[in-house]
């Protein structure tokens, strides 16, 4: 699958990082747009959306968390892939970014090889051509071509990563999918921090509950094993 010409919006206020990352992206055939603050970044999103946003957390004025929140709150851009870049080491900052809807994050200083791998992996996930029209679990229906999920006909507002997690579990109803397997399938990362999975699953559970209450499919965690999706009530209580 060709990535030639895919558009990346790089939001970063350090000119040295902008120069290095922009050059690397262009070498891989990406078109690159840059913004050094959150307001300009949001202005550049429309009317033609980029294929991915590389978003620094510590921006002048509007920070990266707020930019992410606004991207996710707009119907036009809520499924836009976002990778957060941060020099901060506090796990709470990373969790906050993931809870706001970021699909992935990378810590500074990072290698260009790792960054390019994450960018290409995330874009490919959004471009896959689906062969089956829908996957259903009870009253939950997942439109594979449109990359949306509905419960009893009403669309559930999901980020791309939440959609991918839900689809992965729904394609294996009742089966336990290990956290490490979800990490590799969704993020393309092997042996990484499974806390990323837990944060997104927590958000996904809340959205399913909001959409369907007690009748919505339930995502349960089996301690030390992983997650599964079920329709009927289980005696096992979810972790977390």
């Amino acid at each position: 699958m060709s990535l030639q010409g895919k558009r990346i919006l790089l939001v970063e206020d350090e000119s040295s990082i902008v120069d290095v990352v922009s050059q690397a992206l262009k070498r891989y055939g990406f078109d690159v747009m840059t913004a050094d603050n959150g307001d300009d970044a949001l202005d550049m999103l429309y009317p033609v959306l980029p294929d991915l946003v590389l978003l620094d957390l510590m921006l002048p004025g509007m920070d990266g968390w707020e930019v992410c929140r606004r991207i996710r709150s707009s119907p036009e851009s809520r499924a836009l892939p976002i990778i957060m870049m941060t020099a901060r080491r506090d796990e709470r900052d990373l969790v906050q970014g993931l809870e706001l809807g970021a699909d992935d994050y990378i810590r500074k200083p990072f290698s260009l090889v790792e960054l390019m791998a994450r960018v290409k992996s995330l874009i490919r996930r959004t471009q896959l051509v689906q062969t089956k029209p829908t996957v259903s679990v009870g009253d939950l229906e997942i439109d594979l071509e449109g990359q949306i999920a509905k419960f009893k006909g009403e669309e559930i507002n999901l980020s791309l990563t939440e959609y991918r997690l839900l689809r992965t579990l729904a394609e294996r109803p009742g089966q336990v999918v290990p956290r490490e397997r979800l990490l590799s399938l969704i993020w393309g990362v092997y042996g990484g921090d499974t806390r990323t999975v837990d944060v997104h699953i927590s958000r996904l559970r809340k959205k399913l509950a909001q959409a369907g209450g007690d009748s919505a499919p339930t995502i349960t965690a089996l301690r030390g094993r992983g997650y599964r999706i079920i329709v009927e009530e289980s005696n096992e209580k979810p972790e977390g």
Side-chain angles (χ1 to χ4, degrees):
M1 182 181 299
S2 174
L3 299 178
Q4 191 77 24
K6 297 298 181 185
R7 185 181 292 107
I8 307 293
L9 174 58
L10 172 60
V11 189
E12 169 64 63
D13 65 317
E14 293 188 35
S15 59
S16 59
I17 295 178
V18 172
D19 291 342
V20 171
V21 173
S22 294
Q23 290 174 18
L25 289 167
K26 290 175 182 177
R27 283 198 298 270
Y28 278 89
F30 293 109
D31 290 337
V32 183
M33 305 184 297
T34 63
D36 60 8
N37 63 80
D39 289 308
D40 287 350
L42 292 174
D43 287 341
M44 296 175 71
L45 280 179
Y46 310 101
V48 181
L49 290 175
D51 295 285
L52 182 141
V53 176
L54 284 172
L55 178 60
D56 184 35
L57 283 182
M58 304 307 294
L59 296 169
M62 185 189 307
D63 61 34
W65 290 288
E66 179 62 16
V67 174
C68 183
R69 188 193 67 77
R70 295 195 185 189
I71 290 174
R72 287 291 177 254
S73 66
S74 171
E76 297 96 329
S77 58
R78 66 187 180 197
L80 184 62
I82 299 172
I83 298 178
M84 283 189 164
M85 305 181 296
T86 178
R88 299 172 71 98
R89 289 295 182 263
D90 192 331
E91 183 177 301
R92 291 172 296 182
D93 295 323
L94 300 177
V95 169
Q96 181 181 354
L98 295 172
E99 287 182 338
L100 286 171
D103 297 289
D104 198 1
Y105 66 86
I106 188 167
R107 295 180 188 271
K108 298 178 182 178
F110 47 76
S111 73
L112 290 175
V113 172
E114 180 185 4
L115 178 63
M116 294 304 113
R118 289 176 181 267
V119 167
K120 290 190 289 183
S121 175
L122 186 52
I123 289 182
R124 285 193 179 105
R125 284 168 13 209
T126 69
Q127 302 297 323
L128 292 175
V129 177
Q130 310 298 341
T131 57
K132 296 185 295 182
T134 60
V135 171
S136 298
V137 179
D139 290 321
L140 175 70
E141 185 176 274
I142 300 174
D143 179 346
L144 301 183
E145 194 167 323
Q147 294 191 341
I148 59 175
K150 296 181 179 180
F151 185 77
K152 293 184 177 180
E154 294 295 323
E155 184 177 345
I156 306 171
N157 184 5
L158 301 177
S159 70
L160 173 64
T161 297
E162 291 161 357
Y163 162 81
R164 292 274 297 174
L165 277 170
L166 183 58
R167 174 190 164 180
T168 300
L169 295 171
E171 288 178 329
R172 302 161 177 82
Q175 298 180 27
V176 179
V177 184
R179 287 175 172 85
E180 292 78 8
R181 179 62 173 156
L182 289 170
L183 196 63
S184 65
L185 286 172
I186 309 303
W187 285 269
V189 176
Y190 298 87
D193 182 4
T194 57
R195 174 63 176 163
T196 301
V197 177
D198 297 335
V199 171
H200 280 88
I201 288 288
S202 176
R203 285 174 51 86
L204 184 54
R205 281 174 171 162
K206 292 176 182 177
K207 291 187 177 183
L208 287 175
Q210 290 170 356
D214 293 338
S215 62
T218 303
I219 298 175
T220 63
L222 279 72
R223 192 175 300 277
R225 295 174 61 190
Y227 291 101
R228 68 179 178 181
I229 190 168
I230 56 177
V231 176
E232 297 180 355
E233 290 292 327
S234 169
N235 291 329
E236 294 170 288
K237 296 182 179 181
E239 296 175 9

